[in-house]
Amino acid sequence: MGKIVRPQGPIVCVVGARPNYMKMAPLLRAFARQPDIPGVVLVHTGQHYDVSMNARLFADLGLPPPDINLEVGSATHAVQTAEIMRRFEPLLDELQPSCIVVVGDVNSTLACSLVASKKRTPIVHVEAGLRSFDRDMPEEINRLVTDQLADLLYTTEHEATTNLAREGIDTKRVHFVGNVMIDSLREHLAHAVSAASTLGNAGIDPSIASAPDGFGVVTLHRPSNVDNPDRLGEALAVLRDAASRLPLVWPVHPRTRANIERFALTGMLKATPIVLLEPQGYLEMLGLLSAARLVLTDSGGIQEETTALGVPCLTMRENTERPVTVSHGTNTLIGRDSVRARACVAEILRTGGKRGCIPELWDGHAAQRIAKHLGVWLTAQAVALHSQS
Ligand code: UD1
């Protein structure tokens, strides 16, 4: 047996877009507490750059400012992915990391994994194995490829492990650890900003937060819902319908806001109790979600957060890569079907809707489990390397 050697080189942790931040924040904290984990270099690709999509969330989550920002900005998928790869490659040459850690399924996750795999740098993918089985979703392509390349795959639900096994991925590389996004939620929930304050700060009547039937929260940004005028029109019709039953509060993603204007659909929101807000900080979103009577969304993370909070979630998609939120949680898939949406909203107002239960290991300690396992793994890698030399 070889001598124990401490792994050399830092861990390069990659973030690029909003949903990455709440996953990476608990990991960075857990890595700092784990003695056999080397130092961390935090790389931001710059995929998201608006203050409301980016800096504000860093502050809310207690994330340190990135050590390096690749400042790629927005572009087509191919250009954005290529640009991240072009800028990430020399960084890996310089840093010679012991591994890279990527989270989720955004373009930055895929781009950095591709670069690392060609450099033979180990890839750790947190939130591996989720599948919508819908290749029209750009994230599905990112998930499939990243998981094929990853050396260590940490999963949030059992279904993910089954998906990876089906794709021929060695189950020895796969570890069910729970959900780091829920680590963040549990850590910050007590500091959430109240819904009334968020509305008041935006110059909106805060009494909406205490409307007799409660209020709903909306988020919508998937290309499948917002990039086509007909589909966006259908989605807005669903929201208008729901708003005839209870007021809706909608922090609007910049992509969606731009498309509502481009497709001349602003009229559909006129004279409705739908309150449009700028994208909100993490603590504001937690306050809104936790106080909501129901949530209408096409976000992946919000399906999980509502399950963790026990708030009914109507997901405006035909599928989900997070089936545990439907089987165990509070999630219901409604697509853009306004008849179904109307029935679900009425049911929630009448009965309170799906109560659900908390999925296994969504207990606030997923990052700790990952840090512990990764520390042992890196040490074993170093030992193996040393005994070969
Ligand atoms: C990305 C992720 C998606 C994630 C979402 C969360 C991919 C393929 N998609 O989608 O999985 O759920 O982030 O928000 O990685 N824009 C701004 N300011 C910004 C960022 C974007 O105005 O800071 C606008 C730009 O017009 C841009 C558009 O939003 O072209 C799309 O941004 P992009 O990062 O390509 O994808 P998202 O839709 O944000």
Side-chain angles (χ1 to χ4, degrees):
M1 187 158 144
K3 211 173 127 194
I4 300 235
V5 183
R6 288 242 175 254
Q8 300 295 309
I11 297 187
V12 167
C13 291
V14 177
V15 293
R18 184 169 63 174
N20 292 161
Y21 311 147
M22 34 296 235
K23 295 169 196 167
M24 195 55 83
L27 286 169
L28 293 189
R29 273 193 280 281
F31 291 165
R33 279 190 231 110
Q34 190 70 28
D36 47 6
I37 294 257
V40 164
V41 175
L42 181 60
V43 176
H44 195 313
T45 65
Q47 178 174 343
H48 281 175
Y49 44 86
D50 280 358
V51 171
S52 60
M53 300 290 282
N54 186 39
R56 190 162 163 197
L57 286 132
F58 262 66
D60 288 350
L61 289 157
L63 265 170
D67 298 293
I68 293 149
N69 194 322
L70 302 178
E71 296 182 343
V72 294
S74 299
T76 63
H77 283 264
V79 171
Q80 188 175 63
T81 306
E83 201 52 45
I84 297 169
M85 291 179 71
R86 208 172 66 75
R87 297 180 192 201
F88 191 60
E89 185 176 44
L91 197 63
L92 280 198
D93 289 337
E94 184 194 324
L95 294 171
Q96 295 291 321
S98 51
C99 67
I100 71 159
V101 176
V102 292
V103 294
D105 55 16
V106 301
N107 286 345
S108 305
T109 310
L110 167 70
C112 295
S113 298
L114 275 168
V115 175
S117 70
K118 298 285 180 82
K119 298 269 170 209
R120 310 307 300 137
T121 303
I123 300 160
V124 178
H125 186 204
V126 175
E127 199 187 85
L130 297 182
R131 297 291 180 268
S132 63
F133 304 101
D134 174 4
R135 292 195 186 190
D136 285 338
M137 263 184 107
E139 292 82 359
E140 183 74 353
I141 314 287
N142 295 345
R143 294 179 196 120
L144 281 161
V145 179
T146 302
D147 285 340
Q148 280 299 326
L149 301 177
D151 298 272
L152 268 185
L153 300 98
Y154 292 116
T155 60
T156 53
E157 55 175 285
H158 291 299
E159 197 79 10
T161 311
T162 311
N163 294 336
L164 293 168
R166 196 188 307 112
E167 289 165 18
I169 291 168
D170 184 353
T171 48
K172 288 205 226 45
R173 281 153 56 198
V174 181
H175 304 276
F176 170 53
V177 290
N179 193 330
V180 287
M181 194 161 212
I182 304 309
D183 291 7
S184 271
L185 181 140
R186 288 186 174 242
E187 184 169 347
H188 294 284
L189 190 56
H191 309 290
V193 176
S194 76
S197 303
T198 298
L199 291 167
N201 291 340
I204 312 276
D205 176 6
S207 69
I208 290 175
S210 44
D213 275 336
F215 66 95
V217 171
V218 178
T219 81
L220 216 56
H221 74 282
R222 295 252 157 253
S224 57
N225 277 328
V226 308
D227 279 4
N228 167 291
D230 294 337
R231 292 187 183 178
L232 184 53
E234 285 168 20
L236 296 184
V238 166
L239 301 185
R240 252 203 339 208
D241 243 27
S244 69
R245 302 298 307 272
L246 79 175
L248 300 180
V249 179
W250 183 5
V252 189
H253 186 288
R255 165 193 213 112
T256 311
R257 191 179 282 273
N259 286 348
I260 291 174
E261 280 161 27
R262 186 154 65 100
F263 303 146
L265 292 169
T266 34
M268 288 189 74
L269 299 170
K270 289 245 163 71
T272 61
I274 303 178
V275 171
L276 304 188
L277 301 178
E278 290 301 309
Q280 292 297 303
Y282 184 64
L283 300 177
E284 284 80 4
M285 275 314 283
L286 281 188
L288 289 171
L289 293 174
S290 58
R293 186 81 184 265
L294 60 89
V295 173
L296 285 147
T297 190
D298 61 7
S299 152
I302 289 178
Q303 294 172 55
E304 299 184 335
E305 288 166 342
T306 45
T307 277
L309 292 166
V311 172
C313 180
L314 302 178
T315 295
M316 295 175 66
R317 289 175 44 191
E318 306 298 336
N319 51 53
T320 179
E321 60 288 332
R322 293 162 161 91
V324 78
T325 60
V326 175
S327 60
H328 290 64
T330 59
N331 194 13
T332 306
L333 300 181
I334 61 164
R336 291 179 304 277
D337 177 344
S338 51
V339 175
R340 181 143 169 71
R342 214 171 298 144
C344 287
V345 169
E347 160 94 4
I348 291 167
L349 292 181
R350 200 173 57 248
T351 67
K354 268 173 107 167
R355 299 277 190 303
C357 62
I358 305 294
E360 191 181 345
L361 296 188
W362 290 23
D363 58 0
H365 301 296
Q368 216 175 299
R369 281 183 208 104
I370 291 172
K372 203 163 163 205
H373 182 270
L374 181 59
V376 172
W377 189 84
L378 284 171
T379 306
Q381 292 291 105
V383 171
L385 203 69
H386 185 78
S387 52
Q388 274 167 23
S389 60

